[in-house]
Amino acid sequence: MTSIFSVLFLLMGMFLFSNVHSKFVFSIFIIVFNFITGIMIALLNTPTLVWLTMHVPENMQGRVFNVSRTCVQVLIPIGIIIFSFCFDKLNPGTVFITSGVLFFVLVVLYPKFFKLDIKKG
């Protein structure tokens, strides 16, 4: 399911390279892109939190969730800085396509390459 994000980013990059000059079509595409992205985030966060709750010992949950949220809060500004730099220096389509490919490699190919069984739990 997480590979859908890489597909969405690839589609956004290809769309940005297309010759669509209509603001209406572009607006509809962005609305659909953001809607699907929001749904995917909601669909992925819930099972992740349930899995963590089930597999992290109760006496460690506070620490694990706290560290997790702290890492997210630290990584958000770092991501904003990196992507701001990329969008300033590169074509937006290139940034989205590169992000999609890297996300695909990280989510789909990395576990297969290192023979990780993420479904086993």
Side-chain angles (χ1 to χ4, degrees):
M1 184 184 275
T2 53
S3 58
I4 294 173
F5 279 114
S6 62
V7 172
L8 286 172
F9 289 153
L10 288 169
L11 286 174
M12 175 64 88
M14 289 187 288
F15 184 78
L16 291 173
F17 277 120
S18 70
N19 292 329
V20 176
H21 297 293
S22 169
K23 288 182 181 180
F24 179 74
V25 172
F26 184 74
S27 297
I28 295 298
F29 182 81
I30 295 297
I31 289 168
V32 170
F33 175 83
N34 286 331
F35 183 73
I36 293 172
T37 302
I39 289 173
M40 293 306 302
I41 289 171
L43 290 176
L44 289 171
N45 279 346
T46 305
T48 302
L49 289 174
V50 169
W51 186 89
L52 282 171
T53 303
M54 290 174 56
H55 288 85
V56 173
E58 197 171 311
N59 63 334
M60 297 289 292
Q61 285 180 4
R63 291 178 228 164
V64 170
F65 291 141
N66 190 24
V67 168
S68 173
R69 290 176 197 268
T70 302
C71 289
V72 167
Q73 292 300 316
V74 168
L75 289 175
I76 288 173
I78 293 171
I80 290 171
I81 291 169
I82 291 170
F83 275 89
S84 295
F85 177 78
C86 289
F87 279 114
D88 279 346
K89 302 293 181 190
L90 302 170
N91 181 314
T94 304
V95 174
F96 277 104
I97 289 175
T98 304
S99 297
V101 169
L102 290 175
F103 198 79
F104 181 80
V105 167
L106 181 69
V107 170
V108 176
L109 298 180
Y110 183 83
K112 289 181 182 180
F113 183 75
F114 288 102
K115 297 177 179 61
L116 299 174
D117 186 11
I118 20 184
K119 292 184 181 176
K120 183 178 149 186

